[in-house]
Amino acid sequence: MQIGGLQKMTLLDYPEHIACTVFLNGCNFNCPFCYNSSLINVENKQLITTEEFFSFLNSRKGKLDGVAITGGEPLLQKDIIPFIQKIKEMGFLIKLDTNGSFPDKLSYLIEQKLVDYVAMDIKNTFEKYPITTSCFSLSLDNIKNSIKILLENKVDYEFRTTIVKEFHEIDDFILIGQSIKGAKRYFLQSYQDKDSVLTPNLHPLSKEELLKCLEVVKKYVLNASLRGID
């Protein structure tokens, strides 16, 4: 397993739980606004070995509720299923972050009750996915199937979109809302410029514009809200 980072405790990454966050190298997208750009290449330097990670987890039994698995794209990793199985066997809850590119793996993990919470990024309208992700060969059917799987409500989940002025317009949230209509949760997150962002000089929408996006999407997802915005 290619582990590119470990946050030993978080109160934010896994809703209502004390968790650690493990960052896995490798992503099939190349989003210009990605905060974790150092993780995109699967061959990036490992922070710790798999053995060291499980040794850490063993020392946190009874202290942590769960593990948030993020990336990169965790489901890109060939050993992700046995990795998750081992974490579950140790008694931890698992929150999985995904971009929705691997619906078969996602479905398997849900059916086998190997994940307890899934957070799926909705990058943009389907038409704008290629330019938003800088991935022009992606399968939109895979994204749509992952959405469908989560809408079946077999696992606790959320959808979320990081909104960037250069890629999103208020009217986009009509189509986005329609694509996840009836979702359990949907969060709109404002882009924040950081040194780790893949492409510099991108911009957030104003709070007023974000509220307009929220107003649009609430017609389709009643439990939609802004996250991390004062």
Side-chain angles (χ1 to χ4, degrees):
M1 186 62 60
Q2 295 290 321
I3 300 175
L6 175 64
Q7 184 176 352
K8 294 184 177 181
M9 191 183 79
T10 175
L11 300 176
L12 300 176
D13 289 348
Y14 193 154
E16 300 179 3
H17 292 286
I18 301 171
C20 69
T21 302
V22 58
F23 299 84
L24 303 185
N25 287 338
C27 190
N28 56 326
F29 288 176
N30 203 37
C31 304
F33 49 91
C34 179
Y35 299 145
N36 294 333
S37 58
S38 64
L39 300 173
I40 290 175
N41 187 340
V42 74
E43 300 301 330
N44 283 337
K45 183 178 179 180
Q46 284 186 261
L47 176 70
I48 62 173
T49 66
T50 306
E51 292 74 18
E52 288 170 331
F53 170 70
F54 282 113
S55 177
F56 161 77
L57 272 192
N58 192 56
S59 72
R60 293 302 188 273
K61 285 184 177 180
K63 300 175 183 177
L64 297 177
D65 302 323
V67 178
I69 303 175
T70 190
E73 170 50 48
L75 297 186
L76 185 67
Q77 297 263 354
K78 63 181 181 179
D79 297 327
I80 188 63
I81 291 175
F83 182 74
I84 288 175
Q85 285 174 325
K86 187 168 182 178
I87 297 172
K88 285 297 286 183
E89 288 169 0
M90 296 177 73
F92 293 98
L93 299 171
I94 293 179
K95 181 221 177 189
L96 174 71
D97 291 348
T98 182
N99 62 26
S101 294
F102 300 93
D104 291 344
K105 287 184 179 179
L106 178 61
S107 179
Y108 178 85
L109 290 167
I110 293 171
E111 293 295 335
Q112 297 299 313
K113 301 187 184 304
L114 292 173
V115 290
D116 302 283
Y117 193 95
V118 177
M120 178 177 164
D121 292 321
I122 303 296
K123 299 297 184 180
N124 211 325
T125 67
F126 294 135
E127 182 181 359
K128 288 185 173 182
Y129 248 78
I131 191 168
T132 307
T133 63
S134 298
C135 182
F136 295 89
S137 60
L138 66 86
S139 168
L140 288 176
D141 284 342
N142 284 346
I143 305 299
K144 294 174 183 178
N145 286 339
S146 289
I147 291 172
K148 182 179 178 181
I149 288 166
L150 293 181
L151 288 176
E152 292 174 351
N153 285 306
K154 293 182 178 179
V155 69
D156 205 6
Y157 72 93
E158 68 181 56
F159 294 114
R160 61 193 185 185
T161 298
T162 298
I163 304 176
V164 187
K165 186 172 185 178
E166 284 76 9
F167 294 98
H168 300 94
E169 300 174 17
I170 293 171
D171 286 347
D172 290 333
F173 290 89
I174 298 173
L175 293 177
I176 293 174
Q178 290 172 348
S179 72
I180 58 170
K181 185 176 180 180
K184 188 172 185 177
R185 298 183 193 87
Y186 180 43
F187 294 101
L188 304 183
Q189 305 173 161
S190 181
Y191 168 78
Q192 297 179 21
D193 195 21
K194 298 182 179 180
D195 292 339
S196 59
V197 172
L198 190 62
T199 301
N201 301 319
L202 298 176
H203 303 87
L205 295 186
S206 67
K207 185 174 182 178
E208 181 182 19
E209 291 170 318
L210 291 170
L211 288 170
K212 288 181 179 178
C213 293
L214 181 62
E215 181 182 359
V216 168
V217 86
K218 270 185 169 288
K219 297 175 183 177
Y220 307 97
V221 182
L222 184 61
N223 194 14
S225 59
L226 303 182
R227 172 183 277 165
I229 300 166
D230 296 328

